[in-house]
Amino acid sequence: MAKKEANAISPTRAENYPEWYQQVIRAADLAEQSPVRGCMVIKPWGYALWENMQRVLDAKFKATGHKNAYFPIFIPKSFLEKEAKHVEGFAKECAVVTHHRLELGPDGTLIPAGELEEPLIVRPTSETIIGAMFAKWVQSYRDLPLLINQWANVVRWELRTRMFLRTTEFLWQEGHTVHATAEEAIAEARLMLDVYEEFAEKYMAMPVIKGEKSEAERFPGAVSTWTIEAMMQDGKALQAGTSHFLGQNFAKSSEIKFLPESGELQYAWTTSWGVSTRLIGGLLMTHSDDDGLVLPPRLAPVHVVILPITAKAEDPAAVVAYCKKLRDDLQALRYHERNVEVEVDERDLRGGEKNWSWVKKGVPIRLEVGPRDMAQNAVFMARRDLPPGEKQTVPRDTFVNGVVAMLEEMQAKLLERAKALRASRTKEIEGKADFYAYFGNSADEAAASQSGFALVHWAGDSALEGKLKTELGVTLRCVPLAASEPGTCPFTGQPSKQRVIFAKAY
RNA sequence: CGGGGCGUAGCGCAGUCUGGUAGCGCGCACGGUUCGGGACCGUGAGGUCGCAGGUUCGAAUCCUGUCGCCCCGACCA
């Protein structure tokens, strides 16, 4: 017998959270480091998660009237230069293509040749190039609203990368819309924020707070940026999605103009909104435990894995057949907009090892099915939301009839657990000293502290935000859309309309 | 770009201080015994020690340079 290990993942969350995060990715086989600096390879299990996210979000975008399209990965440098704040925001992190040919050098190496007249920027986001096309597509109020979404990869040359949370290249969707009025554009941006919120809570089981970004945290070139902010298990905030009201800023830089029903040619109003593969990092840090990944059933690539136990069977083929019949019966069931996904794992591995591999991958339900179970027409069931050893025998029919409800119960439980954690690490703070104490009084201490969200009244500005960031390492995550009572800002002594959220963030 | 750590077999590491031609665990392949909580025995494959110079009879080890990775900052979805 093997020695018993307490946990599948080492170190545990408590011991070293960042290292734990990386080990979970490795143990679940979600992704791995690539030969290219800052870029990861998303492996099948991780990509399947992304595909499930895409499937759900894509349907929601279409249900709200958006169409998919695709725009070039290369953006002429001059396009990016059109909007001053946009340039300022992205210039520092752009990959630039300057040549279009390689020539064989004397020493066998390849030398870039054929210098481009105008450098091309690998898109860090597509507002400018999409704007150039929208300018052609929009002539009349009859062309509006124009509601487009693109699934794409983007590149931001970040100084420091972390798998899924911040990589040089990442996958995302970016919605871009054009409207006749500011009101309509704002409504669009807010609608998509609601879509993101619903997705985060109902599918990812990740509770989020909708709010507006401060000027300092706003998207470069936007008039308003709204966000969904989630709390990870270490108490840090994760910006999980953003939606921007761009005013007429990009319409002006891209010349998106239209003739209204009555009156003169005018600039249109635009929005953009996006979520990325960062959501996978958020999902991981919301639910996973010291035994690896924990997946919310609604996004799990596999709901039920069946492990045939054939070693002692007189007739192994009969056990496998029993498992496959069970799989077929389960797969005929509908669970939340799709069929129940079942995998029979016939790999030639020892039972314990095989079982643990699925624990680490986060599959909601594991079934060990051997001759004993077959004889009594039952299954031996383990749930990912219970300790790995807590397994029980369940009559086959009871399991089949109850599996959909069980998945829903697990989904709900994950959301409740995440909400409880957030509540336990959210604190209303009234005084400046309390605020500093909450975050450990210094940036170093804040990194190690058990802090979370601080709800504090606020009448400060960007300079004050900068000061708090320097001193404590915390940022103003958002001004929640949900109203709170008026009060007094502890930093300025000025009256405050409502509380804002400060936290350390990813 | 600043501060710290690290590049040795697929993974995790020892060996580096005190130079002598590479080792351990896991994994992998094969054979056997096992198997419902991460098995065991045996045999075997697998490494130009990140890269480039230098010192030396001899470099994983010493020197110089360089590339890359991780953690903490600054910056950011």
Side-chain angles (χ1 to χ4, degrees):
Chain A
M1 272 301 123
K3 61 174 182 270
K4 182 183 162 184
E5 288 183 24
N7 304 108
I9 304 296
S10 175
T12 62
R13 288 164 291 181
E15 286 163 357
N16 184 343
Y17 198 83
E19 181 61 21
W20 165 84
Y21 175 81
Q22 301 200 116
Q23 292 304 325
V24 172
I25 290 172
R26 181 206 292 264
D29 211 21
L30 292 175
E32 66 183 58
Q33 207 63 56
S34 79
V36 186
R37 177 200 184 95
C39 295
M40 63 178 171
V41 173
I42 304 177
K43 299 186 77 176
W45 193 247
Y47 201 77
L49 258 179
W50 179 238
E51 286 178 311
N52 280 342
M53 290 177 166
Q54 278 186 302
R55 175 176 50 76
V56 173
L57 286 167
D58 198 61
K60 288 184 183 299
F61 298 155
K62 285 171 180 160
T64 43
H66 304 84
K67 307 277 191 208
N68 284 334
Y70 186 80
F71 299 84
I73 191 172
F74 299 124
I75 299 176
K77 184 166 75 78
S78 57
F79 279 37
L80 221 56
E81 287 163 348
K82 285 179 186 169
E83 216 288 329
K85 287 202 171 121
H86 200 58
V87 186
E88 206 181 301
F90 285 105
K92 296 185 295 285
E93 52 191 49
C94 286
V96 184
V97 179
T98 53
H99 294 73
H100 66 86
R101 191 169 70 235
L102 288 171
E103 285 176 355
L104 197 57
D107 56 353
T109 59
L110 292 169
I111 300 162
E115 189 169 354
L116 300 175
E117 249 176 62
E118 180 181 3
L120 295 170
I121 313 302
V122 181
R123 64 178 162 224
T125 178
S126 303
E127 273 73 9
T128 56
I129 191 141
I130 291 181
M133 298 313 295
F134 281 4
K136 293 185 178 181
W137 299 354
V138 173
Q139 308 284 330
S140 151
Y141 73 96
R142 291 192 178 88
D143 299 324
L144 301 178
L146 179 58
L147 308 173
I148 297 293
N149 177 64
Q150 146 163 286
W151 289 97
N153 57 339
V154 286
V155 166
R156 295 183 188 173
W157 214 266
E158 301 288 352
L159 302 175
R160 194 179 145 209
T161 57
R162 307 185 85 186
M163 285 217 258
F164 289 112
L165 296 175
R166 180 167 296 105
T167 46
T168 300
E169 179 189 17
F170 58 95
L171 307 183
W172 78 344
Q173 60 68 217
E174 45 181 325
H176 294 270
T177 68
V178 190
H179 306 265
T181 66
E183 294 68 33
E184 199 184 304
I186 290 169
E188 161 76 8
R190 293 287 297 270
L191 172 67
M192 299 324 285
L193 190 73
D194 289 346
V195 167
Y196 289 155
E197 177 197 35
E198 188 191 19
F199 175 74
E201 301 212 348
K202 293 196 174 162
Y203 289 83
M204 297 177 68
M206 180 174 80
V208 293
I209 292 171
K210 288 189 293 185
E212 184 168 358
K213 286 290 186 186
S214 66
E215 190 186 345
E217 299 278 329
R218 199 176 287 157
F219 177 76
V223 173
S224 304
T225 290
W226 288 282
T227 176
I228 50 170
E229 294 284 327
M231 183 192 287
M232 303 295 100
Q233 290 180 60
D234 61 351
K236 287 166 81 170
L238 182 79
Q239 179 175 310
T242 49
S243 185
H244 317 290
F245 169 53
L246 304 172
Q248 291 178 310
N249 294 346
F250 286 88
K252 284 177 179 167
S253 59
S254 297
E255 293 290 320
I256 306 173
K257 291 183 278 196
F258 72 100
L259 207 51
E261 205 168 344
S262 62
E264 295 178 0
L265 197 61
Q266 60 176 258
Y267 287 112
W269 304 82
T270 65
T271 79
S272 67
W273 29 274
V275 294
S276 71
T277 37
R278 169 176 254 207
L279 290 177
I280 293 173
L283 188 76
L284 193 164
M285 286 196 288
T286 301
H287 303 303
S288 299
D289 61 21
D290 296 336
D291 287 322
L293 196 60
V294 175
L295 292 173
R298 289 183 182 181
L299 291 177
V302 173
H303 296 116
V304 181
V305 64
I306 302 174
L307 312 175
I309 309 293
T310 55
K312 281 181 177 167
E314 287 174 22
D315 185 358
V319 174
V320 173
Y322 178 87
C323 290
K324 288 187 173 171
K325 177 67 170 63
L326 176 60
R327 174 193 63 195
D328 293 345
D329 289 351
L330 289 168
Q331 280 183 335
L333 299 171
R334 292 289 289 176
Y335 167 64
H336 207 265
E337 302 164 9
R338 58 182 169 140
N339 283 28
V340 172
E341 298 280 353
V342 187
E343 180 159 334
V344 177
D345 185 355
E346 293 186 75
R347 288 177 300 166
D348 184 22
L349 288 178
R350 288 176 302 277
E353 186 181 350
K354 196 190 272 193
N355 191 44
W356 276 101
S357 76
W358 292 106
V359 172
K360 290 183 284 194
K361 279 181 178 297
V363 170
I365 299 170
R366 306 186 304 283
L367 299 179
E368 292 171 31
V369 178
R372 290 209 303 262
D373 310 290
M374 203 171 84
Q376 49 184 307
N377 203 31
V379 298
F380 193 52
M381 180 190 74
R383 293 170 48 153
R384 188 60 182 84
D385 60 341
L386 300 175
E390 232 171 85
K391 306 176 189 177
Q392 53 172 317
T393 295
V394 181
R396 183 190 190 280
D397 291 346
T398 306
F399 177 76
V400 173
N401 292 331
V403 66
V404 169
M406 187 181 294
L407 290 169
E408 271 304 76
E409 178 202 329
M410 293 172 80
Q411 177 83 29
K413 186 171 161 185
L414 289 180
L415 179 62
E416 285 315 306
R417 198 165 68 181
K419 278 184 175 171
L421 176 109
R422 185 179 68 182
S424 75
R425 297 184 73 160
T426 297
K427 197 177 175 196
E428 292 196 347
I429 289 177
E430 311 305 335
K432 187 174 169 182
D434 288 346
F435 184 89
Y436 274 75
Y438 183 65
F439 290 114
N441 289 313
S442 76
D444 286 346
E445 288 294 318
S449 79
Q450 287 296 300
S451 68
F453 288 178
L455 293 173
V456 63
H457 278 290
W458 179 254
D461 55 14
S462 294
L464 187 49
E465 280 181 62
K467 181 171 180 278
L468 294 171
K469 188 170 182 177
T470 306
E471 291 179 357
L472 295 172
V474 300
T475 48
L476 202 172
R477 300 318 303 158
C478 70
V479 182
L481 294 181
S484 57
E485 83 294 345
T488 303
C489 171
F491 305 100
T492 63
Q494 299 297 307
S496 146
K497 279 183 231 164
Q498 69 160 89
R499 292 178 188 273
V500 302
I501 297 173
F502 268 91
K504 215 164 145 53
Y506 277 99

